[in-house]
Amino acid sequence: MNQEVKLGIFICDCGATLAKNIDFTELKQKLETLPDVEYLSISHSLCSPEGQETMLSELRAKAINRVVVAACSSELYEHIFAALLEKAGLNPYLLSMANIREQCSWVTPDKDKATQKAMEQIKMAINRARLLEPVESKDVPVNKEVLVVGGGIAGMQTALELSQLNLKATIVEKGKALGGKLSQLVALSPLKSPPEELLAAKVKAVTERNNVEVLTSAELLTLNGQAGDFAAKITKDGQEFFHNFGAVIIATGNEAQFPSQIYGVELSSDIVSQEQLEAMLRLSTMTKVPNRVCFILDVCGEHSRTHTISALETALILRRRFGSEVYIVCQNLEVDSSGIEQLYREARNRGVLFLKFEQPPRISRDNAQINVQFQDSLTANEEVIISCDLLVLESKLLPPHEAQTVSSMLNIGLGPGDFYQEDNVHLFPVNSAKKGIFFAGNCHTEIDLSRVLTEASNAALNAYQLLSTGKIATDVGRVTVAPGKCTLCLTCIRYCPHGAIRVDHENRTAQIIDIACEACGICAGVCPAKAITFKDNSDEQIWAELEVIGERR
Amino acid sequence: MADEAGRMRLCYSEGVRIVPVPCIGRVSVLHILKAFEYGAEGVLVLGCPEEGCHHISGSTRAKEKVAEASALLTEIGLDGERVQIFTPNSTPELVRIISEASEKIGALGLTV
């Protein structure tokens, strides 16, 4: 921008609390003498409605074209002040903030030093502000179809929710039929309905919906593009085809594997995994009635809610159906999910016994008897031996088989245990690090059925939020490549974690795809030719901030 | 996290200046060297742990650049330890790192 810089500096002393160790009079006197300062004010609460109102009218009244706000955390307030700029007709990118509260007043007790630090912080912000340029925002049209990978309960529920939100969903399921693990369960406590009924109801609902397409025996082969416009290559019955989607929801569940090396025993007719027990009870294939059954949980380390519920359910069925004595040996029974505590109470009332260990139990065999030996931490570590004729062991939960390939294909990371990694476990639990790709269910975390259903709605709502208006507001040219400088070395394309750079063959230059760009600046950092400019974090701006250190000498 | 340190009133050396970047992957060797040119005694690159990087490889890239900058400093006769990278997991850890590094780098004295 060639236009002359006119700075507006808004300082806030946070209800005069910062004045305890920052001398605002001195700040004002010194800052006013700096060149290009058109306006300077000290407010007591810039963030309050009155403060914002005053700031807005000053922005409108004065001929200001760069704004510096010296106040508190930009994490908390930058968006509010940026919105004010927009309201006043200024581009929101013309704002530069200095945090003189958290980063100065609150951590610098000495008044002289705090005042000097605040002064330098504001000068840094001013230096950056001088070099700021506007970034325009544009609406980019999006495809309103959503791809759901996986046709288990999570995938089906997601597709149903999407369809209710008027977004067309396509389920790609690699198996021959919908249902996933739901078809392998014997009971579903929290939901009070038998799994086969729930499954039948969901399959019926999914197939009846006009705007849900189901592709079984199908797989996602490749996925290119970005939020709003993904191109998926899908194979079904040996035939490959392309289809475009605006968002992708991954709902591929997890895999259970029996870790014989952890327990030191192999599976047999009387040592079974929880999944096998479910199947035996569901299909009534129990060869003999067990007199005494022992479950061991928590040795695999995950405190899996699915396994906790399954153990309680099957224990109750064993009590009811065969009158077996049932012991559940665990480290810590976690009941923090819908209906588990009630189920636990019922199990106790019906005579299921719970014992706790600190060290994993030892398993040994004595003819037809299996001995489970451990120190019971509820009775001051008394040595306990349970001799049972059926031992049920918890499996280890592993990420879906294809997680590795899918994560590298979609450019989304893997987290602990190689499950898919959420963007932020607490704040954005169903978002991947890539815009437009979401997770639902057990593919990214271990959750029980009631939570899977909640997640499915959450993922569908996120896709709706992204696509419902048919367009996404996108910053255009926030990061740009100078064609004259770019040598097409492809470094940026290799290093961009979001797949947001492509080759523009016509102009022989790398080109940033604005809608996919997450503005991390990695490309600008690695470009050997320094051909990439990050408008609001440019090299020049960073140097200008550093320059203030030089003035101190 | 730097703002969180303020909220927790965890004080660190008042000589520290924070230059925010969207991701430490943004930092280039020139940024680090410029800081020294302007008289900084040391540079700390502080960001997210590699395994929790929102931009997947940002922290990895930053580590490479810090190593490069450190080698260049050594080459011109400055202590390579003046530039370091840390990826703390908690705010108290961040403040401990800043305090320890300021003390260590402060002891090395000015660069010119």
Side-chain angles (χ1 to χ4, degrees), chain A residues 23-302:
Chain A
D23 184 342
F24 282 90
T25 330
E26 190 187 328
L27 277 190
K28 188 167 189 249
Q29 279 169 0
K30 288 193 177 162
L31 288 170
E32 267 174 343
T33 60
L34 293 177
D36 307 327
V37 176
E38 188 72 23
Y39 174 82
L40 187 144
S41 73
I42 295 176
S43 151
H44 288 315
S45 68
L46 209 52
C47 61
S48 68
E50 300 78 34
Q52 289 187 42
E53 200 53 52
T54 320
M55 182 172 166
L56 184 62
S57 55
E58 293 300 338
L59 286 174
R60 282 180 174 145
K62 302 281 185 313
I64 296 167
N65 59 18
R66 297 291 186 288
V67 181
V68 173
V69 172
C72 53
S73 173
S74 59
E75 278 168 34
L76 299 176
Y77 287 104
E78 188 159 20
H79 65 283
I80 290 178
F81 295 123
L84 273 185
L85 260 71
E86 219 171 352
K87 236 175 164 176
L90 280 166
N91 188 284
Y93 280 89
L94 299 176
L95 168 71
S96 176
M97 281 186 77
N99 183 352
I100 57 168
R101 190 175 76 169
E102 282 92 336
Q103 291 181 14
C104 181
S105 170
W106 285 0
V107 291
T108 318
D110 183 288
K111 189 161 185 173
D112 288 341
K113 285 174 175 164
T115 307
Q116 192 203 348
K117 181 170 178 178
M119 176 71 86
E120 285 184 25
Q121 284 182 297
I122 299 172
K123 281 186 182 170
M124 285 166 81
I126 291 176
N127 281 7
R128 176 167 174 262
R130 285 179 192 283
L131 300 168
L132 286 173
E133 284 181 53
V135 176
E136 297 308 325
S137 177
K138 195 179 83 179
D139 285 339
V140 177
V142 293
N143 185 320
K144 287 173 83 167
E145 285 189 39
V146 182
L147 172 67
V148 179
V149 188
I153 181 69
M156 288 193 290
Q157 184 67 20
T158 308
L160 284 174
E161 302 267 357
L162 287 167
S163 125
Q164 277 162 14
L165 294 166
N166 273 329
L167 294 174
K168 191 191 169 204
T170 304
I171 301 179
V172 168
E173 163 61 42
K174 67 177 175 193
K176 286 198 181 72
L178 291 172
K181 290 223 178 54
L182 194 57
S183 54
Q184 296 159 16
L185 297 178
V186 60
L188 289 174
S189 257
L191 300 176
K192 303 273 180 228
S193 67
E196 56 274 11
E197 263 178 38
L198 177 74
L199 175 62
K202 292 291 171 196
V203 172
K204 186 163 175 277
V206 164
T207 33
E208 274 174 2
R209 283 265 167 188
N210 287 334
N211 54 356
V212 177
E213 189 180 352
V214 178
L215 302 173
T216 48
S217 308
E219 249 178 287
L220 173 66
L221 292 179
T222 60
L223 188 80
N224 291 309
Q226 56 281 327
D229 186 25
F230 288 107
K233 188 178 178 187
I234 297 166
T235 170
K236 175 168 166 62
D237 303 323
Q239 282 198 320
E240 291 176 6
F241 61 94
F242 280 93
H243 197 89
N244 283 37
F245 299 96
V248 179
I249 297 173
I250 301 177
T252 44
N254 56 18
E255 312 273 347
Q257 193 192 54
F258 181 73
S260 51
Q261 72 287 356
I262 291 182
Y263 293 105
V265 291
E266 295 294 333
L267 293 176
S268 60
S269 61
D270 52 2
I271 301 181
V272 297
S273 70
Q274 284 187 281
E275 287 75 16
Q276 286 175 313
L277 179 67
E278 294 251 4
M280 284 155 74
L281 292 173
R282 181 165 44 87
L283 306 167
S284 304
T285 52
M286 198 77 93
T287 42
K288 72 179 187 42
V289 171
N291 290 319
R292 193 178 285 161
V293 187
C294 179
F295 287 78
I296 303 180
L297 300 179
D298 300 338
V299 175
C300 298
E302 282 128 354

Side-chain angles (χ1 to χ4, degrees), chain B residues 42-44 70 73-74 78-84 104-105 108:
Chain B
V43 173
L44 292 181
S70 171
L73 288 185
T74 317
L78 283 178
D79 196 325
E81 298 275 298
R82 283 181 187 269
V83 54
Q84 288 186 41
K104 238 162 109 186
I105 292 170
L108 291 172

Side-chain angles (χ1 to χ4, degrees), chain A residues 73 120 423 498 537 539, chain B residues 3 17 26 31 38 54-55:
Chain A
S73 173
E120 285 184 25
D423 189 12
H498 304 290
N537 280 287
D539 286 342
Chain B
D3 289 357
R17 293 291 171 273
R26 170 69 190 98
H31 298 154
Y38 287 126
H54 169 75
H55 300 294

Side-chain angles (χ1 to χ4, degrees), chain A residues 185-187 189 273-282 286 293 295 297 306-322 324 326 328 343 352 392:
Chain A
L185 297 178
V186 60
S189 257
S273 70
Q274 284 187 281
E275 287 75 16
Q276 286 175 313
L277 179 67
E278 294 251 4
M280 284 155 74
L281 292 173
R282 181 165 44 87
M286 198 77 93
V293 187
F295 287 78
L297 300 179
T306 325
H307 283 145
T308 306
I309 293 179
S310 161
L312 295 170
E313 291 276 11
T314 46
L316 278 167
I317 295 175
L318 287 165
R319 291 286 302 148
R320 238 180 280 138
R321 232 188 253 180
F322 309 115
S324 318
V326 182
I328 295 183
L343 196 61
V352 176
V392 187

